[in-house]
Amino acid sequence: MAISAVVGSAVTRVDGKLKVTGAAQYAVDHPIEGVVFGVPVASTVGSGTIAGIDGSVAEKMPGVLGILHHGNSGPLYRTAGGFEPNSIVSEGRLPFSDNKVYYYGQYVALVVADTFERALDAAAHVKVNYETKKPLTRMSEVTKPLGPAHRKYERGDAEAAFQSAAVKVDGVYVTPTETHNPMEMHATIAVWNGDKVTLYETTQGVVNHQGVMAQVLGLPLENVHVISPFMGSGFGGKLFPWPQSMLAAMAARKLGRPVKVTVPRSLMFSAVGHRPLTEQHIRLGATKDGKLTSIIHEVKNPTSMVDDFMEGATGSTPTMYSCPNVKTAQWIVRLNIGSPMAMRGPGACPGMYGLDSALDDLAIKLNMDPLQIRLKNYAEKDESSGKPYSSKHLRECYEKGAAAIGWDKRTPGVGSMRDGNEILGLGVGTAIWGAYRGGAQARVRLSADGRARVASATQDLGTGTYTVMAVIVADKTGLPVERIDSVLGDSSLPPGPMSGGSTCTATIVPAVAAASVKAIGLVLDLASKTDGSPYKGVDAKTLAMTGGRVHKQGESPESGVAFEKLLQMGNLAALEAEAETGGNPDMRNYSMHTFGAHFVEVGWDPGIARLRVRKTVTVMDAGRIISEKSARNQILGAVVMGLGMGMFEEAYYDKRNAKPLNNNFADYMVPTNADIPEQEVIFLDIPDPVMGEYGARGIGEIGLVGVAPALTMAVYHATGVRVRKLPVRIEQLMGSKNS
Ligand code: MOS
């Protein structure tokens, strides 16, 4: 069946109206009768032991219903880990499990009251005494990393090749601690009914959340119902449950009342994950004409005292560029900070900042064009596995992007391009992200009112999953998108994918397509068997459904009958079909990645020491695009985030108590509208044949990978200053000869 024009068209986000009118219900918006409010008390020390918790003042305050802490709460159980699916938790240590404090902002108590204001007031009156130890907040304070090297990879002899290389780069590249901080803060409303609990959540995985909470609360799976219809995004911070969900459930069970817990903005900087700082030592060896002969990529990142989180920054290094000798290794270091968590483009995003920055340093050394050095080292196949790429059109990304940004007008000299008072700089970065398609179930219902409904226990963190599901049903049934209802964000639906790793679209699309085809098959069968149907007695295999009308194959749809008429004739409210699809077995024979190129133009005005981004151009090779508007939206937003990584974002910790000092949006800088330049996004829109019928690959994360190195190269081109520790700061540029 040919793919129709609705796929990849500019369909308007189907949940858009609900969002802009305020009708969409986020986690805390669900109107729950009798709900009471839990406000966390968080540690004000970075390391130590709780010597005592004095709630005597707080518990007598008006409206206070209870104070939970390690001495009076529980029970909570460990997750099954490898024994059961859907048991991934963010912070391995259960909340309130003992009197130990591992980081500033760790929950030490929860005050529940009848109003939010009363709970907040009472929480401020809980006195916690600590036996305090000096916290570790810098990797330089730790003499030994934890355990042996991880992610070790080697081909050829990278050390020897580096030693004997004609040209060498040896540099340290540092990416900052970044926090996810989505607009919608983490929150949970827990409602018990007997031994069953409903959790109104904001989660990137309702199915995993259900599994984890059942295990932690000691309940059979069906006793936990997770509802998360809309999200104010997550960026990876909401992949897996955090303690606030457990606190809400535990308090609601103890008090016999529905309890709502919201993570305040200040704790969004410590208690719900972050992208850890990376320190990357990179050595490149090359020939005099810029062909890589050696890549050595060694990375250290801090993790918390309670989880071993490794930022997989060397993950793309073995496959990205062509090079016979490659070596990678990673280490983690324990600090008194909250546990890190995957943040949009984890691994590849900081890793490609390091690798592409080192490559640019090589280009500078060789007086080579940054685009040319990337083309010179273009990998035609995956040299880490020897496998062919399923579909790689990165060369076209470079070419189209170069044309759109006007790369041919780039003059190589530092400070050689001007526009009025501004010195211009141009840089390019490469984007790469692994492509994957997993297993999912979906259900499609065709109703006698002429509408279709598609349902799966996946969720839409703002990426467009509602719209993608509707587009696929529209493609198969021929119904307009307006007559299709997408239903998701509910753990009681057929299990669907996580919204993570940029795998959701590629995973849910085949399941929705298969369920649609099955549901259509039921309607054709009905047409062949129902009294009054013009096709009664006709072999269903000779029928088809086009534009929502059942007709004989080879005849026009107008000659047929609308599917809802057939359902009405049969006195059926609806026909519904469910399908389950998995990965494509052929995937294992290929190296599967999404690719792209970012071009950044900056303007540096030395007279007023102002750096700004003037334009970005991004070209994406992401397979077939299913929903053009939501895909473009993903890339636009990710590029803005990449500029944030390059120019603004950095969380930093007080040495005395490990407090994230800039734990608010006044001090933690993110790009604002005034920082967002002209952005252009181009999709190659070439289907990946190994991904299956539609050939769509993921798109949620790759837009961030490669932005920061393109930016720092543009900054160098304008100012002559190489920034190897993000974010770029004006003071680093002030001393440049072009200041
Ligand atoms: Mo993504 S960091 O897997 O939400």
Side-chain angles (χ1 to χ4, degrees):
M1 193 171 151
I3 289 169
S4 64
V6 69
V7 176
S9 68
V11 169
T12 293
R13 187 182 280 271
V14 300
D15 51 330
K17 191 174 173 189
L18 291 173
K19 284 184 161 175
V20 298
T21 57
Q25 286 179 332
Y26 294 84
V28 296
D29 295 336
H30 294 273
I32 305 296
E33 206 175 320
V35 73
V36 296
F37 299 82
V39 167
V41 178
S43 163
T44 54
V45 304
S47 177
T49 307
I50 300 168
I53 294 183
D54 180 2
S56 58
V57 175
E59 70 193 9
K60 293 194 196 75
M61 290 175 70
V64 172
L65 300 165
I67 302 173
L68 277 72
H69 51 76
H70 69 276
N72 67 4
S73 65
L76 293 178
Y77 302 92
R78 280 181 53 192
T79 49
F83 299 115
E84 277 183 33
N86 300 316
S87 56
I88 309 177
V89 70
S90 290
E91 188 172 297
R93 177 185 179 268
L94 294 165
F96 300 172
S97 52
D98 54 33
N99 64 350
K100 301 281 188 297
V101 174
Y102 296 101
Y103 60 93
Y104 185 102
Q106 177 186 316
Y107 304 124
V108 293
L110 184 80
V111 177
V112 185
D114 59 353
T115 71
F116 174 70
E117 290 76 9
R118 284 172 155 179
L120 193 64
D121 192 13
H125 285 83
V126 173
K127 288 203 184 69
V128 185
N129 291 315
Y130 301 96
E131 282 160 15
T132 308
K133 286 194 287 189
K134 188 179 168 351
L136 295 167
T137 61
R138 310 281 190 276
M139 286 203 288
S140 57
E141 296 169 344
V142 182
T143 42
K144 255 197 176 162
L146 191 69
H150 298 267
R151 255 194 198 276
K152 278 165 68 173
Y153 170 85
E154 185 152 21
R155 71 168 174 263
D157 187 342
E159 292 286 353
F162 177 75
Q163 290 311 324
S164 62
V167 190
K168 294 176 193 180
V169 163
D170 185 336
V172 175
Y173 305 86
V174 179
T175 61
T177 309
E178 290 182 273
T179 54
H180 308 75
N181 265 303
M183 287 297 286
E184 184 201 21
M185 296 172 282
H186 295 241
T188 306
I189 305 174
V191 187
W192 286 87
N193 184 1
D195 60 355
K196 291 190 161 74
V197 66
T198 302
L199 300 165
Y200 298 89
E201 275 290 347
T202 174
T203 172
Q204 290 173 238
V206 290
V207 173
N208 179 70
H209 204 102
Q210 177 197 30
V212 166
M213 293 304 288
Q215 294 159 33
V216 166
L217 296 169
L219 299 172
L221 191 64
E222 66 272 19
N223 287 22
V224 178
H225 187 188
V226 178
I227 296 173
S228 182
F230 296 98
M231 298 178 68
S233 204
F235 307 124
K238 295 175 181 171
L239 283 166
F240 316 117
W242 289 99
Q244 103 280 338
S245 191
M246 299 161 201
L247 295 186
M250 192 159 63
R253 177 152 67 178
K254 195 172 159 101
L255 298 171
R257 301 277 295 267
V259 173
K260 182 190 287 197
V261 176
T262 303
V263 178
R265 184 60 73 186
S266 60
L267 290 180
M268 294 290 290
F269 290 80
S270 50
V272 286
H274 60 274
R275 190 203 298 281
L277 177 150
T278 67
E279 205 179 277
Q280 308 180 35
H281 182 202
I282 302 182
R283 286 174 285 162
L284 300 181
T287 61
K288 287 202 176 98
D289 58 351
K291 178 76 196 70
L292 287 167
T293 55
S294 176
I295 302 173
I296 303 170
H297 194 173
E298 294 164 314
V299 180
K300 261 197 318 188
N301 74 261
T303 185
S304 69
M305 292 290 168
V306 294
D307 287 296
D308 297 351
F309 184 92
M310 199 186 63
E311 179 73 26
T314 61
S316 313
T317 305
T319 186
M320 185 69 255
Y321 295 114
S322 175
C323 180
N325 306 293
V326 179
K327 192 172 104 169
T328 70
Q330 296 200 215
W331 294 267
I332 53 176
V333 174
R334 284 210 192 286
L335 297 180
N336 290 106
I337 54 175
S339 293
M341 180 41 63
M343 179 169 159
R344 201 175 192 181
C349 181
M352 281 304 295
Y353 164 72
L355 185 61
D356 257 13
S357 293
L359 196 63
D360 280 336
D361 279 335
L362 183 64
I364 291 165
K365 225 172 192 175
L366 291 168
N367 241 331
M368 233 177 130
D369 179 272
L371 184 53
Q372 285 313 314
I373 204 163
R374 285 165 173 78
L375 291 168
K376 179 98 191 169
N377 293 290
Y378 194 87
E380 299 290 351
K381 64 167 189 205
D382 185 341
E383 294 179 8
S384 70
S385 61
K387 291 176 187 175
Y389 292 110
S390 59
S391 172
K392 178 178 181 177
H393 302 277
L394 176 57
R395 207 184 294 280
E396 288 105 298
C397 295
Y398 290 135
E399 284 164 4
K400 280 207 157 82
I405 198 95
W407 191 265
D408 60 336
K409 294 189 192 68
R410 184 185 194 269
T411 50
V414 166
S416 64
M417 294 175 73
R418 288 187 181 251
D419 180 10
N421 290 334
E422 286 192 322
I423 305 174
L424 308 187
L426 281 172
V428 58
T430 308
I432 181 168
W433 186 257
Y436 182 73
R437 167 186 154 184
Q441 295 178 31
R443 198 185 280 152
V444 168
R445 179 179 172 91
L446 295 168
S447 302
D449 62 1
R451 296 188 69 83
R453 178 185 192 268
V454 53
S456 179
T458 184
Q459 50 291 309
D460 188 335
L461 75 164
T463 48
T465 307
Y466 277 109
T467 309
V468 163
M469 286 165 61
V471 163
I472 298 302
V473 176
D475 179 46
K476 288 298 184 197
T477 61
L479 294 178
V481 166
E482 301 76 54
R483 276 165 64 188
I484 299 161
D485 300 305
S486 291
V487 179
L488 47 72
D490 185 324
S491 63
S492 65
L493 298 170
M498 300 275 304
S499 300
S502 302
T503 62
C504 185
T505 293
T507 298
I508 195 68
V509 158
V512 172
S516 299
V517 168
K518 264 189 171 174
I520 292 165
L522 298 179
V523 169
L524 302 185
D525 216 25
L526 177 73
S528 72
K529 288 180 183 152
T530 297
D531 285 341
S533 161
Y535 304 111
K536 187 168 182 198
V538 173
D539 183 356
K541 285 194 196 69
T542 66
L543 300 175
M545 188 163 123
T546 309
R549 296 175 73 81
V550 173
H551 60 97
K552 270 210 172 120
Q553 285 172 18
E555 291 180 6
S556 78
E558 287 71 37
S559 69
V561 49
F563 80 91
E564 62 267 30
K565 291 278 179 298
L566 293 164
L567 288 161
Q568 290 159 15
M569 285 171 202
N571 192 27
L572 290 168
L575 281 169
E576 189 164 284
E578 201 167 304
E580 177 169 9
T581 51
N584 180 357
D586 203 24
M587 282 163 52
R588 74 171 73 95
N589 301 318
Y590 293 90
S591 173
M592 302 192 60
H593 293 84
T594 293
F595 295 96
H598 297 286
F599 291 81
V600 174
E601 181 185 306
V602 300
W604 165 244
D605 183 340
I608 55 172
R610 186 185 69 181
L611 176 71
R612 63 181 189 134
V613 175
R614 290 164 54 107
K615 183 171 179 160
T616 65
V617 172
T618 299
V619 188
M620 280 292 148
D621 170 25
R624 186 194 299 277
I625 300 304
I626 303 293
S627 162
E628 201 273 343
K629 280 189 185 176
S630 59
R632 182 173 302 277
N633 172 266
Q634 281 304 294
I635 302 301
L636 290 172
V639 171
V640 171
M641 241 171 145
L643 298 177
M645 176 185 184
M647 291 177 77
F648 300 104
E649 293 191 53
E650 180 181 22
Y652 41 88
Y653 300 92
D654 191 324
K655 278 188 170 179
R656 297 166 299 179
N657 57 8
K659 177 185 179 180
L661 279 168
N662 53 344
N663 63 355
N664 57 77
F665 276 160
D667 297 316
Y668 183 92
M669 307 292 278
V670 292
T672 64
N673 280 342
D675 301 305
I676 298 169
E678 186 189 338
Q679 289 181 279
E680 190 174 340
V681 175
I682 299 165
F683 292 112
L684 297 186
D685 201 13
I686 302 168
D688 184 328
V690 185
M691 268 297 181
E693 181 185 8
Y694 287 88
R697 292 196 297 248
I699 208 159
E701 312 188 68
I702 187 165
L704 189 51
V705 180
V707 176
L711 171 82
T712 53
M713 188 56 186
V715 167
Y716 169 78
H717 186 214
T719 67
V721 177
R722 273 305 270 159
V723 176
R724 296 189 183 86
K725 182 178 185 300
L726 297 180
V728 176
R729 294 180 185 282
I730 295 302
E731 52 270 36
Q732 292 169 297
L733 308 182
M734 300 272 285
S736 79
K737 68 177 162 62
N738 291 311
S739 65

